[in-house]
Structures are given as structure tokens and as C-alpha cells.
């Protein structure tokens, strides 16, 4: 019935009752074991001959131990077998076949439940002193203590916990959820190699559900509850559902709630501890409540205090079926260390140093328009990823404020006006972004008003530019950029970049001086295999050919192949950037760049071979420098030599 192997130690059978002791259920391929000390069922032996399992009434079980080892090679197969059996039985019952249990279904009373789940990193879930009671169309679950993760690493510790499910129109939904006390802690230790808890849980759920590995945020299949059955499991069974106006994640969450559901979470601490110095960042005494009004709307309230004297407040009403919401969210000086565990994909560096503040107001003006106004500020952000830079990037600050509207039916964000500020540079943004399961569309305009040249460059973190931050200018710089693209017709992509550059260099690091290339110099190259090639070159050396002596066929041949607009641009080619963007989006990965001859020269003269965002930013600044100091002929002469 469950796709498992059952072993029964002892069986006592009478005309009205069956008692089993020493029951053990094992997954067909290993990895899953369920042990039951004692199981009693009310069953009429004569009726069982004709009705089979339909003759079983109330079932009581005591001392149930569940062990699931996801690291076991057979665990996925065992879980798959159970899912397939339950799905087939659910299908039979939905079609009107199978047994016909009495109204309200079978009653269950399971006590002293212990659950242990482990993965390749170690223990992941522990449930102690739990109980489950099903009577008619109501299920109550209680657990004295639940531990997700390990106390010495990332973990969630909660309890006591009480949950009530109700069956309405043959569907199990959450009626009430009450949690009194808990702690969510992220342990940040440079010596540990254990994977982040959020990623471990995500992988475990994929294994249990049998979901494929997602390729992006939209790939996880949407699910909806279907008719509940009287299988021994009281969990609802889920099948794929057709997309509706509301986002899939919202539907999955709220479709499991009764219209008048009540959720209460009291006295939870969110903590992030750096084990090297024992420092703890915390939201203390977080209280969260969710209450259904019975008309499709749910009110969500939350409040708590942060370590740095900040606050967290939420007062929102949401209508998930229409993807509508209204209310406010306020965060003040929330440590990034408290956010990092929930977004493990972001490569935070020393997040306990940084903070996040935000305020957001939403008004549901209609079923297809939610007005949005607010802003956020991030201070002392640190990032470290080999794709960004070879060393950590610290002391990053960014702030944004704006207003717009969310159109849920079209899944379109309209930006009426937004300003983004980094240090003393401010950019204005307007347009719209649309994302559905089938396509994405972007139509954005960004404007940088006349801004002091030093302020423009200082918007780039110092750890990105390194010694190039010693460049200085007089004058101002302004820009207007427009991007329009639609995944349904990428070849129609439009990209325009208009720049008004009135900047003049007044100071530069000594190592970038172009005068040294006007006399003999030693050029050192590190090859891809790490071998080093060196040569002495420059004017008057044997390895140098003056521009006027270069074959007249070489220059047009190289330009036509490498950079057809070389003599018409100032170092950067917007049309090449547009073509590279389209090609990379079509391929779904980075395939080609948009480097001009000037950019290639800057890289070859000054930079290492590493492929990072930081190196590209340095390359752009050095290209600007070369174009301001050399003629096009001098750039070509250096490039070809």
C-alpha cells in the first residue's frame, strides 16, 4: 500500500481489534526506516474479508521513530516508490473507485513521535515528543521541540508548536498555527565546510518531492492541493496546476490556508553569530501574526527589535488570488548578517558589519494596479566572489527611492521615477520590467545628470578600482541610456548610450603613464599555462615597427576584424555592446564580449588575465585614460606592436 517493506514482531487479532507490536517499515531501496513500538486498529475481522482496508476504523500508534538518510544512495528511490503508490491510490479514489470510508474518514491517534533526517552534511531535522490526532475532518499536530540543522552550525530551534488542519471540500488546509518561542541562528565560521542550511533544506525538499533541479526562479512547478484521501498519511497530495494571475510562490503558500486561518508566532530570536569573535547580531522577540478575514484577504503583522537599536515592523493586507496587497513595511538598521542566511546565493563578506534599512507603502488601487512608494539604504556592504574580484570588496553603500506600480495580471513592474545613489553620484530611472513564465521584457531609461567627474568614478567601490582610484579630473559627466528588449524577439533589441564627457584628467597613478611607451620598455606577459613571456620593445628596438612603416594592408585588415568603428568611437562601441548582449541572451550564457581595440590594448598593457567584474571596470577606466592621452594612430601603433 505504501511501497515499503513491513516487518511485524507480534500480532494479536480478535474479532474487533488488531494489535501489532515491533513494526518496522523500510524503503524498498533503503535510506528510510519507520519503527512503531505498538499499533492498534479497530477492525471487524469479518468485514475485512469483504472491504479490505475500508473495514479499518480508528488507528492508534505509540512510540513512532522515523529515520530518513538522504545521503543513502537508495533514499531517492524509496521516496519515489512511496510517492508513486500514493499518487495511484489518490487517482483511483478521485475517479470514484476504491473503498468508501465512513464520513470524516478514519481516525488516528499517534503519540511519542520522534523524527530524524540527515543528509551528506550531517543531521538536518530532529523532532521530539510529537503527537498527531485525526478525528473526522480535523487533524491536530503537536511537537515539544523541533530542531532544523545542528546547534553547532546553522539551525532553527522551535517549540512548543501546535498545528491544526481542516478538510474542506475534500482538501486539507491550515486552520491554525501557534509557535511559542524559537531561535533561528546562522553560525559564520571560516573554518567550516558545511553547506548553508537554506541550501541543504532546498535540496532535501527536492528529493522528498521528487522535483527536478531548478534552473532559475521560475522553473519550480506550481502545485495545488487536490482531494484528500484516507491513506495512512494525513498530508495533502499535490499535483501541478495551471498558472493563474497570482505568482506561483504566492499561490503555493496561501492555497494551503483556510479562509479564516490564524497564525501566531511569539518570541522568536533571529541571530547571526561570528564564531571567531563571538559577536551576535539579533532580532529579539520577533512576533508575527497572520489572520484570514474569510473574504480572500489576509492580514500580516510583525514587529521586533534589532541589536543596533533598530526596529522591524510589518502591517500588510494581501489578497493572494489577485496578487493584491496594501499596507506598510519598515526596517531600520537591520544587520546584513540576519539577511544573509535567507539569500545564500549572495556572496556576502563580513555581513555583520553592514546594515539594511527600508520603508515601503503599498495601496491596492484596483485588481490590476498596486501603487508602490518607498526606498531602501544599504550601508557597509561587503562582497567576496571570484567572479566579482580576486579580493573582498568592502564599504559599499547604495540607496534608492522611488514610486511606481505593480500590475499582477501582467506581472509587470512600472517604475514612474526612481533615484539610485552611490556616494555623491545619483542616477534617475524610469520604465518597466515584465516577467512571466513564458517571457521577459525590459524597457528602461537611465539618466545621469551633469555630475562632477570625480563623483561619478567614486561611485565605484575603491576595492574595485584599487590604485586607479587616484585618478583625478576637472569637469562634469552626464549620460542618457535606453534599453528595450523582449525575449520573444531579441533581434529587435534597442540600446542607446549617449554620453557628454567634459572631463579632463588632472592626476593619474604613475604606473599608467603613457610616456614610458614612447621609449624602450620591457613587456611581460603571463600565458594561459602560467609560463611567462618577456620581450624588450618600444621605439628604436628591433621588436618595434613605427606606425608609418606598418604595411597599409595590416591596419584595415585588423580594424575590420577587431573593431570596425575604431576611428569613430571614443574607446567604447554601443553597437558592439548591444550585439554582445543579444548574443549572450540567445545562448543563455556569456559567449562574446564587446571589447574595442582600445579596451584590448588597456587590458594587454596594464592588467592581468583574470575574468572578473572588477577587472572589466578597471579596463573601462584605463581605456578612457588611453583615449585621452594618445591619438588613434598611437593606439594602433602600440596595439599592433
Amino acid at each position: 500500500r505504501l511501497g515499503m517493506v513491513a516487518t511485524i514482531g507480534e500480532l494479536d487479532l480478535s474479532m474487533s481489534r488488531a494489535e501489532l507490536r515491533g513494526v518496522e517499515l523500510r524503503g524498498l531501496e533503503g535510506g528510510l526506516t519507520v519503527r512503531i513500538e505498538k499499533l492498534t486498529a479497530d477492525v471487524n475481522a469479518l468485514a475485512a474479508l469483504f472491504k479490505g482496508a475500508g473495514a479499518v476504523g480508528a488507528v492508534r500508534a505509540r512510540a513512532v521513530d522515523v529515520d530518513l538518510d538522504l545521503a543513502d544512495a537508495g533514499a531517492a528511490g524509496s521516496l519515489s516508490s512511496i510517492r508513486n503508490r500514493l499518487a495511484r491510490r489518490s487517482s483511483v479514489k478521485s475517479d470514484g473507485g476504491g473503498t468508501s470510508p465512513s464520513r470524516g474518514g478514519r481516525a488516528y491517534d499517534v503519540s511519542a513521535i520522534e523524527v530524524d533526517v540527515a543528509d551528506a552534511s550531517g543531521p538536518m531535522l530532529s523532532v521530539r515528543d510529537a503527537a498527531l490526532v485525526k478525528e473526522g475532518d480535523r487533524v491536530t499536530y503537536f511537537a515539544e521541540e523541533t530542531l532544523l540543522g545542528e546547534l553547532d552550525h546553522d539551525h532553527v530551534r522551535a517549540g512548543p508548536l501546535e498545528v491544526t488542519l481542516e478538510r474542506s471540500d475534500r482538501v486539507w488546509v491550515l486552520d491554525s498555527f501557534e509557535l511559542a518561542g524559537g531561535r533561528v541562528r546562522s553560525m559564520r565560521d571560516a573554518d567550516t565546510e558545511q553547506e548553508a542550511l537554506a541550501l541543504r533544506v532546498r535540496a532535501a525538499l527536492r528529493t522528498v518531492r521528487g522535483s527536478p533541479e531548478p534552473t532559475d526562479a521560475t522553473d519550480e512547478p506550481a502545485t495545488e492541493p487536490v482531494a484528500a484521501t484516507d491513506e495512512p498519511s494525513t498530508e495533502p497530495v499535490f499535483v501541478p496546476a495551471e498558472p493563474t494571475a497570482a505568482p506561483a510562490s504566492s499561490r503555493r503558500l496561501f492555497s494551503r490556508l483556510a479562509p479564516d486561518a490564524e497564525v501566531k508566532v511569539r518570541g522568536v530570536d533571529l541571530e547571526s553569530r561570528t564564531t571567531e569573535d563571538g559577536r551576535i547580531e539579533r532580532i529579539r522577540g520577533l512576533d508575527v501574526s497572520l489572520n484570514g478575514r474569510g473574504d480572500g484577504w489576509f492580514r500580516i503583522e510583525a514587529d521586533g527589535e534589532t541589536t543596533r537599536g533598530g526596529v522591524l515592523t510589518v502591517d500588510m493586507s494581501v489578497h493572494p488570488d489577485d496578487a493584491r496587497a496594501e499596507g506598510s513595511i519598515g526596517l531600520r538598521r537591520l544587520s546584513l548578517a540576519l539577511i544573509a542566511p535567507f539569500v545564500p546565493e549572495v556572496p556576502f563578506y563580513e555581513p555583520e558589519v553592514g546594515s539594511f534599512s527600508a520603508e515601503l507603502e503599498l495601496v491596492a488601487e484596483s485588481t490590476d494596479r498596486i501603487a508602490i512608494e518607498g526606498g531602501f539604504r544599504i550601508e557597509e556592504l561587503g562582497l567576496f566572489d571570484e567572479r566579482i574580484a580576486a579580493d573582498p570588496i568592502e564599504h559599499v553603500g547604495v540607496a534608492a527611492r522611488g514610486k511606481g506600480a505593480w500590475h499582477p495580471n501582467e506581472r509587470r513592474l512600472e517604475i514612474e521615477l526612481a533615484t539610485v545613489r552611490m556616494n555623491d553620484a545619483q542616477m534617475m530611472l524610469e520604465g518597466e520590467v515584465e516577467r512571466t513564465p513564458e517571457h521577459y521584457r525590459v524597457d528602461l531609461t537611465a539618466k545621469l545628470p551633469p555630475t562632477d567627474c570625480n563623483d561619478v568614478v567614486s561611485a565605484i567601490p575603491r576595492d574595485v578600482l584599487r590604485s586607479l582610484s587616484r585618478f583625478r579630473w576637472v569637469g562634469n559627466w552626464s549620460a542618457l541610456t535606453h534599453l528595450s528588449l523582449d525575449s520573444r524577439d531579441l533581434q529587435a533589441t534597442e540600446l542607446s548610450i549617449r554620453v557628454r564627457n567634459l572631463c579632463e584628467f588632472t592626476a593619474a597613478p604613475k604606473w599608467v603613464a603613457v610616456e614610458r611607451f614612447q621609449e624602450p620598455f620591457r613587456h611581460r606577459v603571463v600565458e594561459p599555462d602560467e609560463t611567462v613571456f618577456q620581450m624588450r620593445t618600444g621605439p628604436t628596438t628591433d621588436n618595434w615597427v613605427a606606425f608609418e612603416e606598418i604595411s597599409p594592408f595590416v591596419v584595415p585588415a585588423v580594424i575590420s576584424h577587431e573593431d570596425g568603428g575604431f576611428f569613430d568611437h571614443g574607446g567604447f562601441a554601443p553597437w558592439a555592446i548591444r550585439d554582445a548582449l543579444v548574443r549572450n541572451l540567445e545562448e543563455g550564457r556569456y559567449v562574446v564580449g564587446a571589447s574595442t581595440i582600445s579596451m584590448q590594448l588597456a587590458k594587454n598593457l596594464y592588467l592581468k588575465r583574470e575574468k572578473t567584474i572588477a577587472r572589466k571596470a578597471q579596463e573601462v577606466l584605463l581605456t578612457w585614460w588611453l583615449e585621452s592621452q594618445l591619438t588613434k594612430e598611437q593606439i594602433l601603433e602600440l596595439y599592433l606592436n
Side-chain angles (χ1 to χ4, degrees):
R1 291 175 60 82
L2 287 175
M4 302 179 77
V5 175
T7 302
I8 301 169
E10 296 180 30
L11 168 64
D12 288 338
L13 187 62
S14 69
M15 289 300 296
S16 61
R17 184 177 62 88
E19 183 176 290
L20 293 74
R21 290 182 292 275
V23 178
E24 182 176 273
L25 306 177
R26 299 188 307 278
L28 291 179
E29 299 184 33
L32 173 62
T33 304
V34 180
R35 297 179 180 87
I36 306 172
E37 180 181 288
K38 181 180 179 180
L39 189 151
T40 305
D42 295 337
V43 56
N44 183 288
L46 185 60
L49 295 175
F50 301 97
K51 293 185 177 182
V56 177
V59 175
R60 295 170 293 280
R62 187 186 68 197
V64 179
D65 294 330
V66 180
D67 288 297
L68 174 60
D69 184 1
L70 296 171
D72 189 291
S78 294
L79 292 170
S80 177
S81 176
I82 295 172
R83 284 194 307 271
N84 292 338
R85 294 292 187 94
L86 290 176
R88 285 199 295 270
R89 296 187 61 81
S90 176
S91 176
V92 169
K93 288 181 178 289
S94 297
D95 291 339
T99 58
S100 300
S102 60
R103 181 174 178 82
R106 189 175 299 130
Y108 293 92
D109 187 344
V110 187
S111 60
I113 303 172
E114 308 277 323
V115 178
D116 291 285
V117 180
D119 64 2
S121 297
M124 189 175 67
L125 173 65
S126 171
V127 178
R128 295 292 173 261
D129 196 13
L132 185 146
V133 177
K134 176 183 178 292
E135 294 180 348
D137 292 328
R138 189 176 183 85
V139 172
T140 301
Y141 170 80
F142 174 84
E144 184 65 35
E145 181 181 85
T146 302
L147 176 63
L148 187 63
E150 299 177 72
L151 292 177
D152 292 337
H153 300 286
D154 294 359
H155 70 265
V156 178
R157 191 174 189 175
L161 167 67
E162 186 169 343
V163 180
T164 302
L165 302 176
E166 285 194 347
R167 181 160 51 182
S168 175
D169 296 327
R170 293 177 58 80
V171 174
W172 287 110
V173 293
L174 179 71
D175 179 64
S176 67
F177 179 103
E178 187 166 357
L179 173 63
R183 181 176 68 194
V184 180
R185 173 174 286 183
S186 169
M187 303 289 286
R188 306 190 58 81
D189 186 348
D191 297 328
T192 183
E193 296 180 358
Q194 191 174 66
E195 189 177 25
L197 179 59
L199 296 178
R200 294 174 63 195
V201 172
R202 194 175 304 171
L205 289 175
R206 282 198 297 268
T207 301
V208 172
R209 293 172 177 171
S211 305
E213 194 79 21
T215 55
D216 61 42
T218 65
D219 281 346
E220 188 176 348
T223 57
E224 291 288 350
V226 297
T229 73
D230 283 303
E231 295 297 331
S233 170
T234 58
E235 291 293 320
V237 181
F238 298 96
V239 296
E242 293 298 319
T244 65
S249 57
S250 170
R251 293 201 316 277
R252 283 196 297 274
L253 173 63
F254 287 94
S255 66
R256 291 155 169 79
L257 299 180
D260 57 352
E262 185 174 339
V263 175
K264 293 181 180 179
V265 177
R266 295 287 182 266
V268 174
D269 290 343
L270 304 182
E271 301 179 353
S272 181
R273 167 175 283 181
T274 302
T275 56
E276 293 176 347
D277 57 14
R279 182 174 179 174
I280 299 177
E281 299 290 345
R282 169 184 294 128
I283 295 179
R284 294 185 295 268
L286 177 65
D287 294 340
V288 180
S289 67
L290 180 150
N291 293 280
R293 298 194 328 207
D295 57 358
W297 283 92
F298 294 86
R299 186 177 183 185
I300 304 170
E301 297 176 276
D303 63 82
E305 296 182 356
T306 72
T307 306
R308 305 180 186 187
V311 295
L312 179 154
T313 59
V314 177
D315 189 351
M316 295 283 296
S317 291
V318 299
H319 194 297
D321 290 341
D322 297 334
R324 297 169 62 191
E326 58 184 23
S328 63
I329 298 174
L331 303 172
R332 187 172 74 240
R333 295 191 61 79
L334 182 66
S335 171
L336 293 177
L338 296 169
I339 299 174
F342 302 99
V343 282
E345 299 86 354
V346 178
F348 287 107
Y349 178 74
E350 296 187 348
E352 59 274 7
V353 177
S355 66
F356 177 78
S357 301
E359 55 187 52
L360 185 66
E361 294 282 345
L362 297 95
V363 178
E365 298 177 341
S366 69
T367 57
D368 189 41
R369 180 180 170 85
I370 301 172
I372 304 172
E373 186 168 358
F376 72 87
R377 176 183 295 276
I378 299 176
E379 299 176 284
E380 293 296 322
L381 170 66
L383 300 169
F384 186 27
D385 188 285
E386 60 183 10
R387 293 166 296 182
I388 299 176
D391 298 308
I393 297 174
E394 301 180 79
H395 312 300
V396 178
V398 59
R401 175 163 289 278
K403 64 178 181 178
W406 168 246
H407 299 268
N409 291 342
E410 305 169 47
R411 299 192 63 177
R412 174 169 57 90
L413 176 64
E414 173 190 344
I415 304 172
E416 294 180 20
L417 180 63
T419 58
V420 180
R421 176 179 289 275
M422 293 188 70
N423 294 332
D424 293 322
Q426 178 174 284
M427 178 179 67
M428 290 172 284
L429 193 68
E430 62 181 27
E432 52 187 34
V433 178
E434 182 178 310
R435 179 66 185 263
T436 74
E438 294 78 27
H439 75 277
Y440 56 87
R441 184 177 67 85
V442 176
D443 190 357
L444 292 174
T445 298
K447 180 181 180 181
L448 179 74
T451 305
D452 185 280
C453 307
N454 296 291
D455 292 340
V456 172
V457 178
S458 69
I460 305 173
R462 281 181 172 270
D463 290 327
V464 170
L465 297 181
R466 297 184 179 178
S467 64
L468 295 182
S469 60
R470 295 202 294 268
F471 273 119
R472 289 292 180 271
W473 301 262
V474 293
N476 61 64
W477 204 83
S478 60
L480 181 64
T481 300
H482 177 73
L483 172 64
S484 177
L485 68 84
D486 192 320
S487 62
R488 293 166 293 192
D489 186 9
L490 287 173
Q491 287 301 322
T493 295
E494 296 178 5
L495 174 64
S496 67
I497 303 175
R498 290 190 289 167
V499 174
R500 188 168 183 263
N501 182 0
L502 300 179
C503 301
E504 293 184 10
F505 285 86
T506 59
K510 290 184 178 180
W511 64 275
V512 303
V514 298
E515 289 78 14
R516 64 191 182 102
F517 304 123
Q518 296 170 1
E519 58 187 31
F521 63 92
R522 182 165 296 280
H523 188 49
R524 182 176 182 272
V525 178
V526 180
E527 302 285 5
D529 63 359
E530 301 301 322
T531 60
V532 177
F533 164 78
Q534 296 188 73
M535 71 174 184
R536 188 171 181 272
T537 186
T540 73
T541 66
D542 294 338
N543 290 320
W544 187 267
V545 180
F547 183 77
E548 57 271 13
E549 297 176 4
I550 294 174
S551 166
F553 301 106
V554 170
V555 172
V558 170
I559 288 177
S560 64
H561 185 273
E562 293 293 321
D563 183 0
F566 173 72
F567 283 104
D568 298 319
H569 62 63
F572 312 99
W575 57 87
I577 298 173
R578 180 264 177 203
D579 292 345
L581 174 64
V582 170
R583 175 75 184 281
N584 293 333
L585 288 174
E586 287 178 335
E587 296 291 336
R589 59 190 177 89
Y590 183 83
V591 179
V592 295
S595 293
T596 62
I597 284 177
S598 303
M599 295 173 72
Q600 293 179 48
L601 177 62
K603 177 187 66 176
N604 292 338
L605 283 179
Y606 298 115
L607 301 173
K608 295 181 180 180
R609 194 179 294 273
E610 65 186 31
K611 289 186 178 182
T612 63
I613 295 174
R615 198 217 68 184
K616 180 59 71 172
Q618 296 165 9
E619 183 181 309
V620 168
L621 195 53
L622 288 167
T623 299
W624 182 11
W625 164 250
L626 289 177
E627 285 277 348
S628 72
Q629 301 298 303
L630 301 173
T631 65
K632 289 289 187 178
E633 288 75 14
Q634 289 174 316
I635 289 175
L636 271 177
E637 184 181 54
L638 258 176
Y639 177 79
L640 293 171
N641 275 282

